[in-house]
Coordinates of all heavy atoms in Angstrom, one line a residue:
M299 N 0.8 6.5 10.5 CA 2.0 6.4 9.7 C 2.7 7.7 9.7 O 2.1 8.7 10.1 CB 1.6 6.0 8.3 CG 2.6 5.0 7.7 SD 1.9 4.1 6.3 CE 1.6 5.4 5.1
Q300 N 4.0 7.7 9.3 CA 4.8 8.8 9.4 C 4.3 10.1 8.6 O 3.8 9.9 7.5 CB 6.2 8.4 8.9 CG 7.2 9.6 8.9 CD 7.8 9.8 10.3 OE1 8.2 8.9 10.9 NE2 7.7 11.0 10.7
K301 N 4.4 11.2 9.3 CA 4.1 12.5 8.6 C 5.3 13.3 8.5 O 6.3 13.1 9.2 CB 3.0 13.2 9.4 CG 1.6 12.7 9.3 CD 0.7 13.6 10.1 CE -0.7 13.1 9.8 NZ -1.6 13.1 11.0
C302 N 5.3 14.3 7.6 CA 6.4 15.2 7.5 C 6.4 16.1 8.8 O 5.4 16.5 9.3 CB 6.2 16.1 6.3 SG 7.3 17.5 6.2
Y303 N 7.7 16.3 9.3 CA 7.8 17.1 10.5 C 7.6 18.6 10.3 O 7.2 19.3 11.2 CB 9.2 16.9 11.1 CG 9.3 15.7 12.0 CD1 9.8 14.5 11.6 CD2 8.9 15.8 13.3 CE1 9.9 13.4 12.4 CE2 9.0 14.7 14.2 CZ 9.4 13.5 13.7 OH 9.5 12.5 14.5
V304 N 7.8 18.9 9.0 CA 7.7 20.4 8.7 C 6.3 20.8 8.4 O 5.8 21.7 8.9 CB 8.7 20.7 7.6 CG1 8.7 22.2 7.3 CG2 10.1 20.3 8.0
C305 N 5.7 20.1 7.5 CA 4.4 20.5 7.0 C 3.2 19.5 7.3 O 2.1 19.7 6.8 CB 4.4 20.8 5.4 SG 4.7 19.3 4.5
S306 N 3.6 18.4 8.0 CA 2.5 17.4 8.4 C 1.9 16.7 7.2 O 0.8 16.1 7.3 CB 1.4 18.1 9.2 OG 1.9 18.5 10.4
N307 N 2.6 16.8 6.1 CA 2.1 16.0 4.9 C 2.3 14.5 5.2 O 3.3 14.1 5.7 CB 2.9 16.4 3.7 CG 2.7 15.5 2.5 OD1 1.6 15.2 2.1 ND2 3.8 15.2 1.8
Q308 N 1.2 13.7 5.0 CA 1.3 12.3 5.2 C 2.2 11.6 4.2 O 1.9 11.7 3.0 CB -0.1 11.7 5.2 CG -0.2 10.2 5.3 CD -0.2 9.8 6.7 OE1 -1.0 10.1 7.5 NE2 0.9 9.0 7.1
F309 N 3.2 10.9 4.6 CA 4.1 10.2 3.6 C 3.3 9.0 3.1 O 2.4 8.4 3.8 CB 5.3 9.6 4.3 CG 6.3 10.7 4.6 CD1 7.4 10.4 5.4 CD2 6.2 11.9 4.1 CE1 8.4 11.4 5.7 CE2 7.1 12.9 4.4 CZ 8.2 12.6 5.2
K310 N 3.5 8.7 1.8 CA 2.8 7.5 1.3 C 3.5 6.2 1.7 O 4.7 6.2 1.8 CB 2.8 7.7 -0.3 CG 1.9 8.8 -0.8 CD 1.8 8.8 -2.3 CE 1.1 10.0 -2.7 NZ 1.9 11.3 -2.5
W311 N 2.6 5.2 1.8 CA 3.1 3.9 2.1 C 4.2 3.5 1.2 O 5.2 2.9 1.6 CB 1.8 3.0 2.1 CG 2.1 1.6 2.2 CD1 2.2 0.9 3.4 CD2 2.2 0.6 1.1 NE1 2.4 -0.5 3.0 CE2 2.4 -0.6 1.7 CE3 2.2 0.8 -0.3 CZ2 2.6 -1.8 0.9 CZ3 2.4 -0.4 -1.1 CH2 2.6 -1.6 -0.4
K312 N 3.9 3.7 -0.1 CA 4.9 3.3 -1.2 C 6.2 4.0 -1.0 O 7.3 3.4 -1.1 CB 4.3 3.7 -2.5 CG 4.9 3.1 -3.7 CD 4.2 3.6 -5.0 CE 4.6 5.0 -5.4 NZ 3.9 5.5 -6.6
E313 N 6.2 5.3 -0.6 CA 7.5 6.0 -0.4 C 8.3 5.4 0.7 O 9.5 5.3 0.6 CB 7.2 7.5 0.0 CG 6.6 8.3 -1.1 CD 6.2 9.7 -0.6 OE1 5.7 9.9 0.5 OE2 6.4 10.7 -1.4
I314 N 7.6 5.0 1.8 CA 8.3 4.4 2.9 C 8.9 3.0 2.5 O 10.0 2.7 2.8 CB 7.4 4.3 4.1 CG1 7.0 5.7 4.5 CG2 8.1 3.7 5.3 CD1 6.0 5.8 5.7
V315 N 8.0 2.2 1.9 CA 8.5 0.8 1.5 C 9.7 1.0 0.5 O 10.7 0.3 0.7 CB 7.4 0.0 0.7 CG1 7.9 -1.3 0.2 CG2 6.3 -0.3 1.8
F316 N 9.6 1.9 -0.4 CA 10.8 2.0 -1.4 C 12.0 2.5 -0.6 O 13.1 2.2 -1.0 CB 10.4 3.0 -2.5 CG 9.5 2.4 -3.6 CD1 9.0 3.1 -4.5 CD2 9.3 1.0 -3.5 CE1 8.1 2.5 -5.5 CE2 8.5 0.4 -4.5 CZ 7.9 1.2 -5.5
S317 N 11.8 3.4 0.4 CA 13.0 3.8 1.2 C 13.6 2.7 1.9 O 14.8 2.6 1.9 CB 12.4 4.9 2.2 OG 13.3 5.0 3.3
I318 N 12.8 1.8 2.4 CA 13.4 0.6 3.1 C 14.1 -0.3 2.1 O 15.2 -0.7 2.4 CB 12.3 -0.1 3.9 CG1 11.8 0.8 5.0 CG2 12.9 -1.4 4.5 CD1 10.5 0.3 5.7
W319 N 13.5 -0.6 1.0 CA 14.1 -1.4 0.0 C 15.4 -0.8 -0.5 O 16.3 -1.5 -0.9 CB 13.1 -1.7 -1.2 CG 12.0 -2.6 -0.8 CD1 11.9 -3.3 0.3 CD2 10.8 -2.8 -1.6 NE1 10.7 -4.0 0.2 CE2 10.0 -3.8 -0.9 CE3 10.4 -2.4 -2.9 CZ2 8.9 -4.2 -1.4 CZ3 9.2 -2.8 -3.4 CH2 8.4 -3.8 -2.7
G320 N 15.4 0.5 -0.6 CA 16.6 1.1 -1.1 C 17.6 1.4 0.1 O 18.3 2.4 0.1
S321 N 17.7 0.4 1.0 CA 18.5 0.4 2.2 C 18.4 1.8 2.9 O 19.4 2.5 3.1 CB 20.0 0.0 1.9 OG 20.5 0.8 1.0
Y322 N 17.2 2.1 3.3 CA 16.9 3.2 4.2 C 17.3 4.5 3.5 O 17.8 5.4 4.1 CB 17.6 3.1 5.6 CG 17.4 1.8 6.2 CD1 18.6 1.0 6.5 CD2 16.2 1.3 6.6 CE1 18.5 -0.2 7.1 CE2 16.1 0.1 7.2 CZ 17.2 -0.7 7.4 OH 17.1 -1.9 8.0
K323 N 16.9 4.6 2.3 CA 17.1 5.9 1.5 C 16.3 7.0 2.2 O 15.1 6.7 2.6 CB 16.6 5.7 0.1 CG 17.3 6.5 -0.9 CD 17.1 5.8 -2.4 CE 15.6 5.6 -2.8 NZ 14.9 6.8 -3.1
P324 N 16.9 8.2 2.4 CA 16.0 9.3 3.0 C 14.8 9.5 2.1 O 14.8 9.4 0.9 CB 17.0 10.5 2.9 CG 18.3 9.9 2.7 CD 18.2 8.6 2.0
I325 N 13.7 10.0 2.8 CA 12.5 10.3 2.1 C 12.4 11.9 2.0 O 12.6 12.5 3.0 CB 11.2 9.8 2.8 CG1 11.3 8.3 2.8 CG2 10.0 10.3 2.1 CD1 10.1 7.7 3.6
E326 N 12.1 12.3 0.7 CA 11.9 13.8 0.6 C 10.4 14.0 0.6 O 9.7 13.3 -0.1 CB 12.5 14.2 -0.7 CG 13.9 14.7 -0.5 CD 14.5 15.1 -1.9 OE1 13.8 15.6 -2.7 OE2 15.8 15.1 -2.0
C327 N 10.0 14.9 1.5 CA 8.5 15.2 1.6 C 8.0 15.7 0.2 O 8.7 16.5 -0.5 CB 8.3 16.3 2.6 SG 6.6 16.9 2.6
S328 N 6.9 15.1 -0.3 CA 6.4 15.4 -1.6 C 5.8 16.8 -1.7 O 5.6 17.4 -2.7 CB 5.4 14.4 -2.1 OG 4.3 14.3 -1.2
H329 N 5.6 17.4 -0.5 CA 5.0 18.7 -0.4 C 6.0 19.8 -0.2 O 6.0 20.7 -0.9 CB 3.9 18.7 0.7 CG 3.2 20.0 0.8 ND1 3.3 20.9 1.8 CD2 2.2 20.4 0.0 CE1 2.5 21.9 1.6 NE2 1.8 21.6 0.5
C330 N 6.9 19.6 0.8 CA 7.8 20.7 1.1 C 9.3 20.4 0.7 O 10.2 21.2 0.8 CB 7.8 21.2 2.6 SG 8.4 19.9 3.7
G331 N 9.5 19.1 0.4 CA 10.8 18.7 -0.1 C 11.9 18.5 1.0 O 13.1 18.3 0.6
K332 N 11.5 18.5 2.2 CA 12.5 18.3 3.3 C 12.8 16.8 3.4 O 12.0 16.0 3.4 CB 11.9 18.8 4.7 CG 11.7 20.3 4.7 CD 13.0 21.1 4.9 CE 12.7 22.6 5.1 NZ 12.7 23.4 3.8
R333 N 14.1 16.6 3.6 CA 14.6 15.2 3.7 C 14.4 14.6 5.1 O 14.8 15.2 6.1 CB 16.1 15.1 3.4 CG 16.4 15.0 1.9 CD 17.8 15.5 1.6 NE 18.7 14.5 2.2 CZ 19.3 13.5 1.4 NH1 19.0 13.5 0.2 NH2 20.2 12.7 2.0
H334 N 13.9 13.4 5.1 CA 13.7 12.7 6.4 C 14.4 11.4 6.4 O 14.4 10.7 5.4 CB 12.2 12.4 6.7 CG 11.4 13.6 6.9 ND1 11.2 14.6 6.0 CD2 10.7 14.0 8.0 CE1 10.4 15.5 6.5 NE2 10.1 15.2 7.7
T335 N 15.2 11.2 7.4 CA 15.9 9.9 7.5 C 15.4 9.0 8.5 O 14.8 9.5 9.6 CB 17.4 10.2 7.8 OG1 17.5 11.1 8.9 CG2 18.2 10.7 6.5
I336 N 15.5 7.7 8.3 CA 14.9 6.7 9.2 C 15.7 6.8 10.5 O 16.9 7.0 10.5 CB 15.0 5.3 8.6 CG1 14.1 4.3 9.4 CG2 16.4 4.8 8.4 CD1 13.8 3.0 8.6
N337 N 15.1 6.6 11.7 CA 15.9 6.7 12.9 C 16.5 5.3 13.2 O 16.1 4.3 12.7 CB 15.1 7.3 14.0 CG 14.0 6.4 14.6 OD1 14.0 5.2 14.4 ND2 13.1 7.0 15.3
F338 N 17.4 5.4 14.2 CA 18.2 4.2 14.5 C 17.4 3.0 15.0 O 17.5 1.9 14.6 CB 19.3 4.6 15.6 CG 20.1 3.5 16.0 CD1 21.1 3.0 15.2 CD2 19.9 2.8 17.2 CE1 21.9 1.9 15.6 CE2 20.6 1.7 17.6 CZ 21.7 1.3 16.8
V339 N 16.4 3.4 15.9 CA 15.6 2.3 16.5 C 14.8 1.6 15.3 O 14.6 0.4 15.4 CB 14.6 2.9 17.5 CG1 13.6 1.9 18.0 CG2 15.4 3.6 18.6
S340 N 14.3 2.4 14.4 CA 13.5 1.8 13.3 C 14.4 0.8 12.5 O 13.9 -0.2 12.0 CB 12.9 2.9 12.4 OG 12.1 3.7 13.1
K341 N 15.6 1.2 12.2 CA 16.5 0.3 11.5 C 16.7 -1.0 12.2 O 16.6 -2.1 11.6 CB 17.9 1.0 11.3 CG 18.1 2.0 10.2 CD 19.5 2.3 10.0 CE 19.6 3.6 9.2 NZ 21.0 4.1 9.2
F342 N 16.8 -0.9 13.5 CA 16.9 -2.0 14.3 C 15.7 -2.9 14.2 O 15.8 -4.1 14.1 CB 17.2 -1.6 15.8 CG 17.4 -2.7 16.7 CD1 18.6 -3.4 16.7 CD2 16.5 -3.0 17.7 CE1 18.8 -4.5 17.6 CE2 16.6 -4.1 18.5 CZ 17.8 -4.8 18.5
I343 N 14.5 -2.3 14.3 CA 13.2 -3.0 14.3 C 13.1 -3.7 12.9 O 12.7 -4.9 12.9 CB 12.1 -2.1 14.5 CG1 12.1 -1.6 16.0 CG2 10.7 -2.8 14.3 CD1 11.1 -0.5 16.3
V344 N 13.4 -3.0 11.9 CA 13.3 -3.5 10.5 C 14.2 -4.8 10.4 O 13.7 -5.9 9.9 CB 13.7 -2.5 9.4 CG1 13.9 -3.2 8.1 CG2 12.7 -1.4 9.4
S345 N 15.5 -4.7 10.8 CA 16.4 -5.8 10.7 C 15.8 -7.0 11.5 O 15.8 -8.2 11.1 CB 17.7 -5.5 11.3 OG 18.1 -4.2 10.9
L346 N 15.4 -6.7 12.7 CA 14.8 -7.7 13.6 C 13.6 -8.4 13.0 O 13.5 -9.7 13.0 CB 14.4 -7.1 14.9 CG 14.5 -7.9 16.1 CD1 16.0 -8.2 16.5 CD2 13.9 -7.2 17.3
L347 N 12.7 -7.7 12.4 CA 11.5 -8.2 11.9 C 11.8 -9.1 10.6 O 11.0 -9.9 10.3 CB 10.5 -7.1 11.5 CG 9.7 -6.5 12.7 CD1 8.8 -5.4 12.2 CD2 8.9 -7.6 13.4
I348 N 12.8 -8.8 9.9 CA 13.2 -9.5 8.8 C 14.1 -10.7 9.1 O 13.9 -11.8 8.6 CB 13.7 -8.6 7.6 CG1 12.6 -7.7 7.1 CG2 14.3 -9.4 6.5 CD1 12.9 -6.8 6.0
I349 N 15.1 -10.4 9.9 CA 16.1 -11.4 10.1 C 15.6 -12.6 11.0 O 15.8 -13.7 10.7 CB 17.4 -10.8 10.7 CG1 18.1 -10.0 9.6 CG2 18.4 -11.9 11.2 CD1 19.2 -9.1 10.1
V350 N 15.0 -12.2 12.1 CA 14.5 -13.3 13.0 C 13.6 -14.3 12.4 O 13.8 -15.5 12.5 CB 13.8 -12.6 14.3 CG1 13.2 -13.7 15.1 CG2 14.9 -11.9 15.1
P351 N 12.5 -13.8 11.6 CA 11.7 -14.9 11.0 C 12.5 -15.7 10.0 O 12.2 -16.9 9.8 CB 10.6 -14.0 10.3 CG 10.6 -12.7 11.0 CD 12.0 -12.5 11.4
A352 N 13.4 -15.0 9.2 CA 14.2 -15.7 8.2 C 15.1 -16.8 8.9 O 15.1 -17.9 8.3 CB 15.1 -14.7 7.4
V353 N 15.7 -16.5 10.0 CA 16.5 -17.4 10.7 C 15.7 -18.6 11.2 O 16.0 -19.8 11.1 CB 17.3 -16.7 11.8 CG1 18.0 -17.7 12.7 CG2 18.4 -15.8 11.2
V354 N 14.6 -18.2 11.9 CA 13.7 -19.3 12.5 C 13.2 -20.2 11.4 O 13.3 -21.4 11.5 CB 12.5 -18.6 13.2 CG1 11.5 -19.7 13.6 CG2 13.0 -17.9 14.5
F355 N 12.8 -19.6 10.3 CA 12.3 -20.4 9.2 C 13.4 -21.3 8.5 O 13.3 -22.5 8.3 CB 11.6 -19.5 8.1 CG 11.1 -20.3 7.0 CD1 9.8 -21.0 7.1 CD2 11.7 -20.4 5.8 CE1 9.3 -21.7 6.1 CE2 11.2 -21.1 4.7 CZ 10.0 -21.8 4.9
G356 N 14.5 -20.6 8.2 CA 15.6 -21.2 7.5 C 16.3 -22.3 8.3 O 16.7 -23.3 7.8
L357 N 16.4 -22.1 9.7 CA 17.1 -23.1 10.5 C 16.2 -24.1 11.2 O 16.7 -25.2 11.5 CB 18.0 -22.4 11.5 CG 19.1 -21.5 11.0 CD1 19.9 -20.9 12.1 CD2 20.1 -22.3 10.1
L358 N 15.0 -23.7 11.5 CA 14.2 -24.6 12.2 C 13.0 -25.2 11.4 O 12.9 -26.5 11.3 CB 13.6 -23.9 13.5 CG 14.6 -23.3 14.4 CD1 13.9 -22.5 15.5 CD2 15.4 -24.5 15.1
I359 N 12.2 -24.3 10.8 CA 11.0 -24.8 10.2 C 11.3 -25.6 8.9 O 10.8 -26.7 8.7 CB 10.0 -23.7 9.9 CG1 9.6 -23.0 11.3 CG2 8.7 -24.1 9.2 CD1 8.8 -21.8 11.2
A360 N 12.1 -25.0 8.0 CA 12.4 -25.6 6.7 C 13.0 -27.0 6.8 O 12.6 -27.9 6.1 CB 13.2 -24.6 5.8
P361 N 14.1 -27.1 7.6 CA 14.7 -28.5 7.7 C 13.7 -29.5 8.3 O 13.7 -30.6 7.9 CB 15.8 -28.2 8.7 CG 16.1 -26.8 8.6 CD 14.8 -26.1 8.4
A362 N 12.9 -29.0 9.2 CA 11.9 -29.9 9.9 C 10.9 -30.4 8.8 O 10.4 -31.5 8.9 CB 11.2 -29.3 11.0
Q363 N 10.6 -29.5 7.8 CA 9.6 -29.9 6.8 C 10.3 -30.6 5.6 O 9.7 -31.0 4.6 CB 8.9 -28.6 6.3 CG 8.1 -27.9 7.3 CD 7.0 -28.7 7.9 OE1 6.3 -29.4 7.2 NE2 6.8 -28.6 9.2
G364 N 11.6 -30.7 5.7 CA 12.4 -31.3 4.6 C 12.4 -30.5 3.3 O 12.5 -31.1 2.2
L365 N 12.3 -29.2 3.4 CA 12.3 -28.4 2.2 C 13.8 -28.3 1.6 O 14.7 -28.3 2.3 CB 11.8 -27.0 2.5 CG 10.4 -26.8 3.1 CD1 10.1 -25.4 3.4 CD2 9.4 -27.4 2.2
S366 N 13.8 -28.2 0.3 CA 15.1 -28.1 -0.4 C 15.7 -26.6 -0.2 O 14.9 -25.7 0.2 CB 15.0 -28.4 -1.9 OG 14.2 -27.3 -2.5
K367 N 17.0 -26.5 -0.4 CA 17.6 -25.2 -0.1 C 17.1 -24.1 -1.0 O 16.8 -23.0 -0.5 CB 19.1 -25.3 -0.2 CG 19.7 -26.0 1.0 CD 21.2 -25.5 1.3 CE 21.5 -25.9 2.7 NZ 21.7 -27.3 2.8
P368 N 17.0 -24.3 -2.3 CA 16.4 -23.3 -3.2 C 15.0 -22.9 -2.8 O 14.7 -21.7 -2.8 CB 16.4 -23.9 -4.6 CG 17.4 -25.0 -4.5 CD 17.4 -25.5 -3.1
L369 N 14.2 -23.8 -2.4 CA 12.9 -23.5 -2.0 C 12.8 -22.7 -0.7 O 12.1 -21.7 -0.6 CB 12.0 -24.8 -1.8 CG 10.5 -24.6 -1.4 CD1 9.8 -23.9 -2.5 CD2 9.9 -26.0 -1.2
T370 N 13.7 -23.1 0.2 CA 13.8 -22.4 1.5 C 14.2 -21.0 1.2 O 13.6 -20.0 1.8 CB 14.9 -23.1 2.4 OG1 14.5 -24.4 2.6 CG2 15.0 -22.4 3.7
F371 N 15.2 -20.8 0.4 CA 15.7 -19.4 0.1 C 14.6 -18.6 -0.6 O 14.3 -17.5 -0.2 CB 16.9 -19.5 -0.9 CG 17.5 -18.2 -1.2 CD1 18.2 -17.5 -0.3 CD2 17.2 -17.7 -2.5 CE1 18.7 -16.2 -0.6 CE2 17.8 -16.4 -2.9 CZ 18.5 -15.7 -1.9
G372 N 13.9 -19.2 -1.5 CA 12.8 -18.5 -2.2 C 11.7 -18.1 -1.2 O 11.2 -17.0 -1.3
L373 N 11.4 -19.0 -0.3 CA 10.3 -18.6 0.7 C 10.8 -17.6 1.7 O 10.0 -16.7 2.1 CB 9.9 -19.9 1.5 CG 9.1 -20.9 0.7 CD1 9.0 -22.2 1.5 CD2 7.7 -20.3 0.3
I374 N 12.1 -17.6 2.0 CA 12.6 -16.5 2.9 C 12.5 -15.1 2.2 O 12.1 -14.2 2.8 CB 14.1 -16.8 3.3 CG1 14.1 -18.0 4.3 CG2 14.8 -15.6 3.9 CD1 15.4 -18.5 4.7
V375 N 12.9 -15.1 0.9 CA 12.8 -13.9 0.1 C 11.3 -13.4 0.1 O 11.1 -12.2 0.3 CB 13.4 -14.1 -1.3 CG1 13.1 -12.8 -2.1 CG2 14.8 -14.3 -1.2
L376 N 10.5 -14.3 -0.1 CA 9.0 -14.0 -0.2 C 8.5 -13.5 1.1 O 7.8 -12.4 1.2 CB 8.2 -15.2 -0.6 CG 6.8 -15.0 -0.9 CD1 6.5 -14.3 -2.2 CD2 6.0 -16.4 -0.9
M377 N 9.0 -14.1 2.2 CA 8.6 -13.7 3.5 C 9.1 -12.3 3.9 O 8.4 -11.5 4.4 CB 9.2 -14.7 4.5 CG 8.5 -14.9 5.8 SD 8.9 -16.4 6.6 CE 10.7 -16.2 6.9
A378 N 10.4 -12.1 3.5 CA 10.9 -10.8 3.8 C 10.2 -9.7 3.0 O 10.0 -8.6 3.5 CB 12.4 -10.7 3.4
F379 N 9.8 -10.0 1.8 CA 9.0 -9.1 0.9 C 7.7 -8.8 1.6 O 7.3 -7.6 1.7 CB 8.8 -9.7 -0.4 CG 8.0 -8.9 -1.3 CD1 8.5 -7.8 -2.0 CD2 6.6 -9.3 -1.6 CE1 7.7 -7.0 -2.8 CE2 5.9 -8.5 -2.4 CZ 6.4 -7.4 -3.0
V380 N 7.0 -9.8 2.0 CA 5.7 -9.6 2.6 C 5.8 -8.8 3.9 O 5.0 -7.9 4.2 CB 5.0 -10.9 2.9 CG1 3.7 -10.8 3.7 CG2 4.6 -11.7 1.6
I381 N 6.8 -9.1 4.8 CA 7.0 -8.4 6.0 C 7.3 -6.9 5.7 O 6.8 -6.0 6.4 CB 8.1 -9.0 6.8 CG1 7.7 -10.4 7.3 CG2 8.5 -8.2 8.0 CD1 8.8 -11.3 7.9
S382 N 8.1 -6.7 4.7 CA 8.5 -5.3 4.4 C 7.3 -4.4 4.0 O 7.3 -3.2 4.2 CB 9.6 -5.3 3.3 OG 9.0 -5.6 2.1
L383 N 6.2 -5.1 3.5 CA 5.0 -4.3 3.2 C 4.4 -3.8 4.4 O 3.6 -2.8 4.3 CB 4.0 -5.2 2.4 CG 4.6 -5.8 1.1 CD1 3.5 -6.6 0.4 CD2 5.0 -4.6 0.1
F384 N 4.6 -4.4 5.6 CA 4.0 -3.9 6.8 C 4.9 -2.9 7.6 O 4.4 -2.3 8.5 CB 3.6 -5.1 7.7 CG 2.5 -5.9 7.1 CD1 2.8 -7.1 6.4 CD2 1.2 -5.6 7.2 CE1 1.9 -7.9 5.8 CE2 0.2 -6.3 6.7 CZ 0.5 -7.5 6.0
L385 N 6.1 -2.8 7.1 CA 7.0 -2.0 7.9 C 6.7 -0.5 8.0 O 7.0 0.1 9.0 CB 8.5 -2.2 7.3 CG 9.0 -3.6 7.5 CD1 10.4 -3.7 6.8 CD2 9.2 -3.9 9.0
P386 N 6.0 0.1 7.0 CA 5.7 1.5 7.1 C 4.8 1.8 8.4 O 4.9 2.9 8.9 CB 4.9 1.8 5.9 CG 5.4 0.9 4.9 CD 5.7 -0.4 5.6
L387 N 4.2 0.8 8.9 CA 3.4 1.0 10.2 C 4.3 1.1 11.4 O 3.9 1.7 12.4 CB 2.5 -0.2 10.4 CG 1.5 -0.5 9.2 CD1 0.7 -1.8 9.5 CD2 0.5 0.6 9.1
F388 N 5.5 0.6 11.3 CA 6.4 0.6 12.5 C 7.5 1.6 12.5 O 7.9 2.1 13.5 CB 7.1 -0.8 12.7 CG 6.1 -1.9 12.7 CD1 6.0 -2.8 11.6 CD2 5.3 -2.1 13.8 CE1 5.1 -3.8 11.7 CE2 4.4 -3.2 13.9 CZ 4.3 -4.0 12.8
V389 N 8.0 2.0 11.3 CA 9.2 2.8 11.3 C 8.9 4.3 11.5 O 7.8 4.7 11.2 CB 10.0 2.6 9.9 CG1 10.4 1.2 9.7 CG2 9.1 3.0 8.7
K390 N 9.9 4.9 12.0 CA 9.8 6.3 12.3 C 11.0 7.0 11.6 O 12.1 6.6 11.5 CB 9.9 6.7 13.8 CG 8.8 6.1 14.6 CD 7.7 7.2 14.7 CE 6.4 6.7 15.3 NZ 5.5 6.0 14.4
Y391 N 10.6 8.2 11.0 CA 11.6 9.0 10.3 C 11.8 10.3 11.1 O 10.9 10.7 11.8 CB 11.2 9.3 8.9 CG 11.4 8.1 8.0 CD1 10.5 7.0 8.0 CD2 12.4 8.1 7.1 CE1 10.7 6.0 7.2 CE2 12.6 7.0 6.2 CZ 11.8 6.0 6.3 OH 12.0 4.9 5.5
E392 N 13.0 10.8 11.0 CA 13.2 12.1 11.7 C 13.8 13.1 10.7 O 14.4 12.7 9.7 CB 14.1 11.9 12.9 CG 15.5 11.2 12.6 CD 16.1 10.7 13.8 OE1 15.5 10.8 14.9 OE2 17.3 10.3 13.7
Y393 N 13.5 14.4 11.0 CA 14.0 15.4 10.1 C 15.1 16.2 10.8 O 15.0 16.5 12.0 CB 12.9 16.4 9.9 CG 13.3 17.7 9.2 CD1 13.9 17.7 8.0 CD2 13.1 18.9 9.9 CE1 14.3 18.9 7.4 CE2 13.5 20.1 9.3 CZ 14.1 20.1 8.1 OH 14.5 21.2 7.5
K394 N 16.3 16.2 10.2 CA 17.4 16.9 10.7 C 17.7 18.2 9.9 O 17.9 18.1 8.7 CB 18.6 16.0 10.8 CG 18.6 15.0 11.8 CD 19.9 14.4 12.2 CE 19.8 13.3 13.1 NZ 20.1 12.0 12.5
Q395 N 17.7 19.3 10.6 CA 17.9 20.5 9.9 C 19.4 20.6 9.6 O 20.2 20.3 10.5 CB 17.5 21.7 10.8 CG 17.1 22.9 10.0 CD 16.0 23.7 10.7 OE1 15.7 23.4 11.9 NE2 15.4 24.6 10.0
R396 N 19.8 21.1 8.4 CA 21.2 21.2 8.1 C 21.6 22.7 8.1 O 20.8 23.5 7.6 CB 21.5 20.6 6.8 CG 21.4 19.1 6.8 CD 21.0 18.6 5.4 NE 20.6 17.2 5.6 CZ 21.3 16.2 5.1 NH1 22.4 16.4 4.5 NH2 20.8 15.0 5.2
Ligands
LIG135 ZN1 6.7 18.4 4.2

């Protein structure tokens, strides 16, 4: 998982999940305070991992199972939530000196 570029402090899983939920909010290292921002590729991966399953489920699986719209929507939200819990394993942050 992502470490701080400056002091190699390991970012917490929670910090990364909250960063993603906060629409890719920069993470400040809890040790040295340097700001790290998510890189472009990671944003792309995150969107892909959330949107693709949501679309496949919403357009293919749910109608085939005859699920109601509110239930489909609820399950998509739940799915996106569960997927987001695994995202810290994939995303990369970078440190830009200002
Ligand atoms: Zn640091």
Side-chain angles (χ1 to χ4, degrees):
M299 217 161 69
Q300 181 77 49
K301 283 183 173 140
C302 173
Y303 272 98
V304 182
C305 69
S306 297
N307 170 45
Q308 174 83 62
F309 287 169
K310 291 190 188 63
W311 172 84
K312 196 178 74 180
E313 290 175 319
I314 300 176
V315 172
F316 282 170
S317 158
I318 294 167
W319 287 350
S321 58
Y322 313 117
K323 211 157 56 71
I325 296 180
E326 272 179 25
C327 171
S328 59
H329 187 252
C330 68
K332 295 281 188 274
R333 275 160 68 96
H334 292 63
T335 46
I336 194 163
N337 73 16
F338 179 76
V339 176
S340 298
K341 275 188 197 172
F342 182 72
I343 293 171
V344 169
S345 319
L346 209 67
L347 284 177
I348 290 185
I349 290 167
V350 171
V353 168
V354 169
F355 181 78
L357 295 181
L358 300 175
I359 300 172
Q363 300 296 321
L365 300 181
S366 69
K367 285 214 162 63
L369 181 62
T370 303
F371 180 73
L373 287 172
I374 287 175
V375 170
L376 185 72
M377 206 161 61
F379 175 77
V380 172
I381 292 168
S382 70
L383 296 181
F384 293 96
L385 293 174
L387 302 172
F388 305 107
V389 296
K390 292 270 174 280
Y391 282 75
E392 53 197 8
Y393 168 62
K394 286 200 187 106
Q395 209 150 10
R396 288 150 195 251

